[in-house]
Amino acid sequence: TTTQTVFIYEETGTTPNCSDESSFTVTVNTTILTNIQNESCLGNGDGQIQIFADTGAPPFEVSLNSNPPTVFANNFFIIDGLVPGNYSLTITDGNGCTLNEDFEIQMEGPNLNASVIPIYGCGPEFPSNTLDVSLFDPTVAQDVLYALDSTDPNDFVISSNFTDINPGNHFLSILHVNGCIQTIPFEIEDIAPLQLDLANTNINEITATVTGGIPPYTYFLDDGPGTSQNILSTTGGGTHTVQVMDSLGCETQGSITLDSIDIEIPNFFTPNNDGQNDLWGPRNTEGYPEMFTIIYDRYGREIKIMGQLDDGWDGRYEAKAMPSGDYWYIIELQDGSGRKYVGHFTLYR
């Protein structure tokens, strides 16, 4: 491992003891023996390379993938904690001799990764839940067992059909027959049961307030079509049933009794500015924001169009007082019921 000089002597036969000399360098390369252990189970990160420097002088500086070197005093050393992948190894001995070698760590164990998705449903103790487990490698299905929130071998079972899991953070363990194990975290949402509160918030109007379940909600009044609106208009008094369904299809219902209150249509008015019956128009209309009223004279001429917010007709047309007599009306509620009122009233002066 050092430069050495070799002297060569040759006798000429005539002039003894003549000599010549030359020198040369002998370089001894470092050689190594390696033993690679692949990752035992997917995700364990326990691959390693065992290295024996067959020649070369310690200490040895060892770098992996251009990382800072580690110094080893002996000619046998181990680098562990390696994940699957390709690596480049550089070894420099005490004489400055350098050796480069590439190697690969592979994954020898089965792929136990899986998607774990909670599925929510409606059961006797709503909300119910179960797990949808899909193995990334279906070929291992016959060789694995499952456990919920445990890695104890005594807790593993054949099926992953775990149901009615308490809300919170959990993990599913998957155990292979070769001893490899994988844990996969998941969360069960805290979903409260559906609760429905009904209130009579306006004339012929029900407001449904829902908590729990998973929005959006769909509302049904008296077996009618569903709607996303929680304010429901009725066609009159009596007992009404409201059913609500959440996005999972879970349902609950309630009933409410309303007084029979409908719009009131006066049959006369006296626009004489005495503060009594000076305006004509339907009353109790608060629950019909889209309604309108059209007033006609006896010739069928359209005298006045009013909405729900109008105070009423003052008996004038184009700023002129109309004469006493009968006038006709059409009232449409526009509440989805199709109800329309047609009749007449009298103007007295």
Side-chain angles (χ1 to χ4, degrees), residues 230-242:
N230 71 317
I231 299 177
L232 309 168
S233 296
T234 70
T235 57
T239 300
H240 299 274
T241 299
V242 176

Side-chain angles (χ1 to χ4, degrees), residues 11-66:
E11 292 188 9
T12 62
T14 57
T15 305
N17 299 324
C18 291
S19 66
D20 193 6
E21 74 177 58
S22 181
S23 64
F24 61 94
T25 300
V26 176
T27 301
V28 180
N29 290 323
T30 299
T31 60
I32 62 171
L33 301 176
T34 61
N35 178 40
I36 295 174
Q37 293 186 8
N38 292 317
E39 187 181 50
S40 62
C41 299
L42 180 64
N44 278 13
D46 59 354
Q48 66 174 234
I49 181 171
Q50 301 174 355
I51 305 167
F52 175 72
D54 188 32
T55 59
F60 296 91
E61 288 189 356
V62 181
S63 296
L64 198 62
N65 287 351
S66 301

Side-chain angles (χ1 to χ4, degrees), residues 33-309:
L33 301 176
T34 61
N35 178 40
I36 295 174
Q37 293 186 8
N38 292 317
E39 187 181 50
S40 62
C41 299
L42 180 64
N44 278 13
D46 59 354
Q48 66 174 234
I49 181 171
Q50 301 174 355
I51 305 167
F52 175 72
D54 188 32
T55 59
F60 296 91
E61 288 189 356
V62 181
S63 296
L64 198 62
N65 287 351
S66 301
N67 291 327
T70 300
V71 178
F72 294 91
N74 301 315
N75 62 347
F76 177 76
F77 36 90
I78 297 174
I79 302 175
D80 55 14
L82 303 180
V83 300
N86 295 311
Y87 294 87
S88 178
L89 180 69
T90 300
I91 300 176
T92 303
D93 74 353
N95 292 320
C97 297
T98 300
L99 174 69
N100 296 310
E101 181 167 322
D102 296 329
F103 67 96
E104 181 183 5
I105 297 294
Q106 298 180 349
M107 193 275 293
E108 291 185 344
N111 183 355
L112 300 182
N113 276 325
S115 66
V116 179
I117 301 175
I119 303 298
Y120 302 95
C122 307
E125 299 295 332
F126 176 84
S128 63
N129 58 65
T130 186
L131 294 183
D132 179 18
V133 179
S134 297
L135 293 166
F136 289 180
D137 181 6
T139 62
V140 304
Q142 301 301 317
D143 299 320
V144 296
L145 299 173
Y146 305 90
L148 181 64
D149 296 333
S150 175
T151 56
D152 186 337
N154 296 319
D155 294 333
F156 283 85
V157 294
I158 296 176
S159 174
S160 62
N161 187 29
F162 298 100
T163 61
D164 296 331
I165 305 169
N166 292 329
N169 294 317
H170 300 270
F171 65 89
L172 179 71
S173 298
I174 304 176
L175 175 65
H176 194 269
V177 292
N178 71 353
C180 291
I181 191 170
Q182 179 78 305
T183 59
I184 302 172
F186 65 92
E187 181 183 1
I188 296 294
E189 295 184 32
D190 189 3
I191 303 174
L194 279 174
Q195 297 286 340
L196 173 64
D197 180 64
L198 302 176
N200 180 196
T201 51
N202 210 330
I203 296 175
N204 298 334
E205 182 180 277
I206 300 171
T207 297
T209 303
V210 181
T211 58
I214 299 180
Y217 306 114
T218 303
Y219 304 87
F220 303 86
L221 174 63
D222 295 331
D223 297 322
T227 176
S228 61
Q229 301 300 317
N230 71 317
I231 299 177
L232 309 168
S233 296
T234 70
T235 57
T239 300
H240 299 274
T241 299
V242 176
Q243 182 181 21
V244 62
M245 178 186 299
D246 75 350
S247 61
L248 294 175
C250 301
E251 302 177 3
T252 189
Q253 67 177 30
S255 297
I256 187 172
T257 300
L258 305 183
D259 294 333
S260 181
I261 301 176
D262 209 343
I263 66 170
E264 180 183 343
I265 304 173
N267 55 17
F268 75 96
F269 78 121
T270 57
N272 55 11
N273 295 320
D274 66 352
Q276 300 292 325
N277 299 314
D278 288 328
L279 299 173
W280 182 91
R283 300 164 186 168
N284 296 333
T285 63
E286 293 85 353
Y288 307 101
E290 304 298 326
M291 69 170 292
F292 65 87
T293 303
I294 305 175
I295 301 174
Y296 302 88
D297 65 9
R298 62 180 177 173
Y299 302 108
R301 181 175 52 177
E302 190 176 281
I303 301 299
K304 179 74 172 177
I305 299 178
M306 298 185 300
Q308 187 261 343
L309 296 178

